[in-house]
Structure formats: C-alpha cells, structure tokens
Amino acid sequence: MDLGQLFAIIIGAIFVSNFVLMRFLGLCPFVGVSKDSDSALGMGMAVIFVMTMASLVTWFVYNYILVPLEITYLRTIAFILVIATLVQFVEMVIEKTSPALHKSLGIYLPLITTNCAVLGVAVVNVDSFMVTDLPRNASFIYTVVHGLSAGIGFTLALILMAAIRERLDLVDIPKSMRGIAITFIVAGLMAIAFQGFSGLKIG
Amino acid sequence: MQSVVAKSMIALTSMAAVFGAVLAFASRIFAVHRDPRVEHVLDLLPGANCGACGFPGCQGLAEAMVKGEALPNACPPGGAETAAAIAELLGGDAGDVVPRIAVVHCKGGLSNSVQRLDYEGIEDCRAALLVGGNPKACIFGCLGFGTCKAVFPFDAVELDEEGLVHIDRVKCTRCGNCVVACPVNACIACQLCVKKCPSDAIYMDDNLAVIDYSKCTNCGVCAAVCPTNAIVDEIPARPKAVIGGKCEGVGKCKEVCPVKAIEGEPGERHEIIREKCIGCGLCMEACPTKAVNMVGALGHQRAKVGALEQD
C-alpha cells in the first residue's frame, strides 16, 4: 500500500471515472433529486454513507464468506442483500434524526437500494482490489477509500447539477426545452467536461 | 452438485437472517412515534389531493390540522360535513364553511352565438385558441371543448348540446383546478386591477377592464394582481427594488408600494421584501432621498405569484 496509489484511487473515483458522469451509473437520483441543492446535498451524504458502508461490508462478505465457501459467483445477489439492508438502516436513522431531510429525499432514499452506482462500486471493488494479489490490509483500505471517493464523486456531480438547475430556473428557456429536457442536455455537457479528466496522469 | 446448491442456499439464507435481525433491532431503536390522529383525519378528508387548502396534499393538511396549524374547516372540497367530523375528532369548533362554487358565466351557446371561424382540429380549448383564437365572435366566450373537464378530480363538469360547460353545484369541490385550466384569459370583472392601479388608468366598461394608455405607467401591477391572467405584461422580466444606505425612513415608498412589499418604521431604514416586489419602480420615483434602486431583471414570474398569494 502506498499513498500515491491511494491518491490515484481518490482522484480516479471522483473525477476520472466519476460514477455518474463517466460510468453513467445512478442516473435516476442524478436527475430526480437535483432540483435544489439542499436535498442534493442530503442525498449525496446518504449515498456517500451507503457507498462507504457497502464497500466495507461487501469486503468482509466477499473475503470471509464468499471466497472460503467458493461461491464468489453469487457476489451480485449477496451484494444486493447487503446494500438493501444498509439502505433500510440509513432510512430508519434519517427518519429518526432528520424528518425534514427524510421528507425531501422522499422516494429516492429507498431508491438507493436499486441505485446501480452502489452495486457498481461494490463490483468494481471486487474486480480491482480483491481478485488481485494485493495484501489483505491494502485491499481493505483501498476498497473503503474507493467507496468513499465514489460517493464524493456522486455528490459532486449531484450538487453541480443542482446548482446549474437552480440557475436554469431563472433563465428564459424555450418552453419545449424546460424541465427534464434541458436537464438531460446539461448532463451530457457535464459528461463531456468530465471527459477532460480522462487525460489526467497520476503517479 | 448437490453440495454447491446447499452451500449457496445456506450461505445466502444465513446472511439474510443476520441482516434481518439487525434491521429488526434497528427498527426498535430508531422507531418514530407517529400521531395516530393524522391517519384518522386523513381518512375523513376526501383524499383527492387537490391542493385547494394550500397544503401539500391531504397528508399535509391532516398533519397541519393535528398540530393545530389549520382549522378543521380548511378543506374546501370537504365542506361542512367533513369539517364537523374532524372537529369532533380533534376537539374544537368546526367554524363556518362558506361554499364557493365554480361557475361558467358564458351563456353564448351554439344557437345564440356567432361563429367567427369553423374550427376543425383537436377537441381541446387550448389547441383551438392557439390556432386562430376563440372560434366564437366573442373572444371571451366559453369554447366548450371541455379542457376543464379533464382536470376535475370529482367529475363535476358536463357539456350540454349547446356546447357550453355546466358545473354540477353539488359535485363541485371548490378546488379551483378548472379556473387554472381554462385557457380563456377573460376578464371576470373582479376589479382588482382597478383598485390596485396606482395611476387610476383602469376603468370598467361593460364589465370589462379597460386600460387608459395615456395614464398607464407600465408598472405591471394590474398584470400581477389579475387572477385570470387577462392582462398581459409585455415586459419579459422586471427588476427588484433595493433600498440603499441613503434611506432616511421617510416612508413615501411604503405608501406608494402597490403590493405592500416595503417594511420599516418611520425614521429608520426601510427594507424591501424581495418575494413580494414586482419591480414596478413606483418606490424609486417616490423616494425623496433617491435611496431606492432597481436591480436585476430576473424572477418577475416568482414575484407575480407572491403578489397573488397576498390577495
């Protein structure tokens, strides 16, 4: 494990292969919860938490249950189980601690369950850190850091989108382009902008 | 082969069991106490989520009623019966329910109105208006394609053979959806614009508002207050007033402001309530110390909504 590698993972997950804008995962909340930056931030925080915890728990599940039992081909269904549980848990905690946030996240909170970005993070973790010959502790740290950074990347994209959409509200947009139509175009332009990061060489 | 199946099943089942137990435990710890009365009130409400009460759906109104933020008679479609039932449940007085019913004033049916043009197209008032304006000679007449019918949550609209809309007085729930849906921007002679016009440029003629363009200052107040959008503001965006440090608290701006968007005590610096300001600029002209400025040209539509809610 070295810090340079860690840095590369963080920058890679946030910018170079941003889960929303480069891998095109998790587009449903990206369009649905980006109407105002407050709920975008709340949703982002929930996703960061779920992604980090999902990475952590799936690491244990993969290495201590799936690998010893030689049932790694069941990883998808096992990971979905983990993520669904985590989301339910997060929903309970948020409903208890912040009813306003719970209300504004609305339908999208349970939707993290089916948010492919979370499952995507877990699967990418397995492919890049677990089936390789990395030492155990390095693989664990990389996995958790990658989950956290992927969540931050998701939140970054969500907040950028929310900020743009808040400004779009005040702009004189042709009637047929208002709402979701202009949002998709903006998402495409943002993805093009993030394409620029793919030339980034780290380490 | 058997062992593989058994292994997979046992592994996944035990994982699911452990996660289930964790969730069950967590639901105990993080249990949220919900007021059971909200559910009862929700059952009593009509459940159309029409929004006539001003709360976000029946759920929002039920919560507000239980908290005491709304009166039992706050549901216009529910009427007196619902109000009485809710008042009995929550305690307190039901209050008077003044029924408000949607009415189509137009009586110009097919037999007694002149058709200006023969419209053939989508059977929808909005579409017809877009093509060539109102097919009837009277441009304020009811088109009779029943665009309002589509938005009725309780099916209270009927079209008669004369091509006129009739609203069932019993079924009408006062939700106001039809008023919003009707595309005929007809003056309804409410005279709000006459009362609000700061330069007395609007007068009533045959129950229609008429603007005297020699007096009109283009302030946009009438367009902001008109409930049927019969007055069109051609200026695409209006600025917001801002009071600067030169303000000596004369209060002239407060007097002239047609939407009561200025607050402040005499002698102290006044402040603009941005949400209410419609950017008419009257305060700027009235200010003797030249402390008011107009800034930006965005957000006029929002200001318009704010002004309407005040009235």
Side-chain angles (χ1 to χ4, degrees), chain B residues 21 27 57 83 109 114 161 163 207 211 214 259 266 270 290 306:
Chain B
S27 71
V114 179
E161 64 279 3
N207 275 330
I211 298 175
S214 62
V259 288
H270 284 41
K290 306 243 179 302

Side-chain angles (χ1 to χ4, degrees), chain A residues 68-127:
Chain A
L69 291 174
E70 292 172 343
I71 48 170
T72 49
Y73 51 85
L74 287 178
R75 67 179 186 188
T76 309
I77 193 165
F79 290 174
I80 288 174
L81 201 60
V82 170
I83 293 163
T85 312
L86 269 175
V87 173
Q88 284 297 316
F89 186 75
V90 171
E91 190 178 6
M92 281 179 207
V93 173
I94 290 182
E95 191 172 10
K96 177 79 175 178
T97 52
S98 166
L101 182 62
H102 183 259
K103 209 165 198 175
S104 69
L105 291 184
I107 182 78
Y108 298 102
L109 200 54
L111 271 183
I112 303 181
T113 320
T114 51
N115 186 344
C116 45
V118 181
L119 185 63
V121 170
V123 172
V124 168
N125 282 337
V126 170
D127 287 344

Side-chain angles (χ1 to χ4, degrees), chain A residues 26-171:
Chain A
L27 288 175
C28 169
F30 180 62
V31 175
V33 202
S34 56
K35 280 196 201 80
D36 66 299
S37 42
D38 281 349
S39 50
L41 191 66
M43 179 75 181
M45 290 301 149
V47 170
I48 289 179
F49 181 76
V50 171
M51 278 187 175
T52 315
M53 292 302 289
S55 300
L56 192 139
V57 179
T58 50
W59 188 86
F60 282 107
V61 167
Y62 189 82
N63 281 313
Y64 290 103
I65 299 177
L66 301 185
V67 171
L69 291 174
E70 292 172 343
I71 48 170
T72 49
Y73 51 85
L74 287 178
R75 67 179 186 188
T76 309
I77 193 165
F79 290 174
I80 288 174
L81 201 60
V82 170
I83 293 163
T85 312
L86 269 175
V87 173
Q88 284 297 316
F89 186 75
V90 171
E91 190 178 6
M92 281 179 207
V93 173
I94 290 182
E95 191 172 10
K96 177 79 175 178
T97 52
S98 166
L101 182 62
H102 183 259
K103 209 165 198 175
S104 69
L105 291 184
I107 182 78
Y108 298 102
L109 200 54
L111 271 183
I112 303 181
T113 320
T114 51
N115 186 344
C116 45
V118 181
L119 185 63
V121 170
V123 172
V124 168
N125 282 337
V126 170
D127 287 344
S128 30
F129 310 124
M130 293 182 213
V131 294
T132 55
D133 47 7
L134 281 170
R136 272 253 150 123
N137 60 343
S139 137
F140 178 71
I141 290 171
Y142 287 168
T143 299
V144 175
V145 168
H146 181 252
L148 179 70
S149 326
I152 294 172
F154 181 88
T155 309
L156 176 76
L158 199 61
I159 289 174
L160 285 177
M161 184 57 142
I164 292 174
R165 283 182 76 175
E166 276 177 356
R167 278 156 186 76
L168 281 180
D169 279 350
L170 300 172
V171 178

Side-chain angles (χ1 to χ4, degrees), chain B residues 31-237:
Chain B
V32 178
H33 172 72
R34 284 197 187 81
D35 198 325
R37 290 179 301 172
V38 174
E39 289 296 312
H40 291 307
V41 174
L42 196 57
D43 286 342
L44 292 171
L45 291 171
N49 288 322
C50 64
C53 54
F55 288 91
C58 293
Q59 173 84 35
L61 179 62
E63 281 169 17
M65 280 176 171
V66 170
K67 277 186 206 153
E69 287 165 8
L71 289 172
N73 62 0
C75 175
E81 264 176 54
T82 307
I86 294 172
E88 197 185 336
L89 181 76
L90 298 178
D93 190 19
D96 287 333
V97 179
V98 181
R100 282 165 33 137
I101 292 164
V103 177
V104 178
H105 283 299
C106 179
K107 297 284 172 246
L110 289 175
S111 59
N112 57 2
S113 68
V114 179
Q115 295 290 313
R116 197 164 54 86
L117 50 93
D118 195 10
Y119 173 74
E120 279 178 17
I122 307 165
E123 295 273 305
D124 185 285
C125 307
R126 287 165 296 189
L129 272 182
L130 275 176
V131 175
N134 199 324
K136 283 177 182 165
C138 167
I139 57 164
F140 302 112
C142 171
L143 277 77
F145 293 119
T147 295
C148 46
K149 194 175 170 147
V151 298
F152 265 77
F154 298 97
D155 195 24
V157 175
E158 285 198 350
L159 298 169
D160 65 6
E161 64 279 3
E162 282 280 303
L164 284 177
V165 166
H166 284 280
I167 296 172
D168 189 321
R169 296 178 68 88
V170 181
K171 282 186 187 165
C172 171
T173 61
R174 312 89 171 149
C175 70
N177 283 355
C178 57
V179 180
V180 178
C182 181
V184 180
N185 289 332
C187 174
I188 52 172
C190 67
Q191 305 193 22
L192 267 179
C193 51
V194 178
K195 287 175 200 147
K196 290 280 180 177
C197 180
S199 46
D200 289 327
I202 307 181
Y203 59 93
M204 300 304 292
D205 182 25
D206 275 348
N207 275 330
L208 289 176
V210 180
I211 298 175
D212 182 346
Y213 291 112
S214 62
K215 287 185 189 166
C216 176
T217 57
N218 266 337
C219 68
V221 173
C222 52
V225 297
C226 180
T228 60
N229 293 331
I231 305 177
V232 179
D233 187 358
E234 297 281 352
I235 300 175

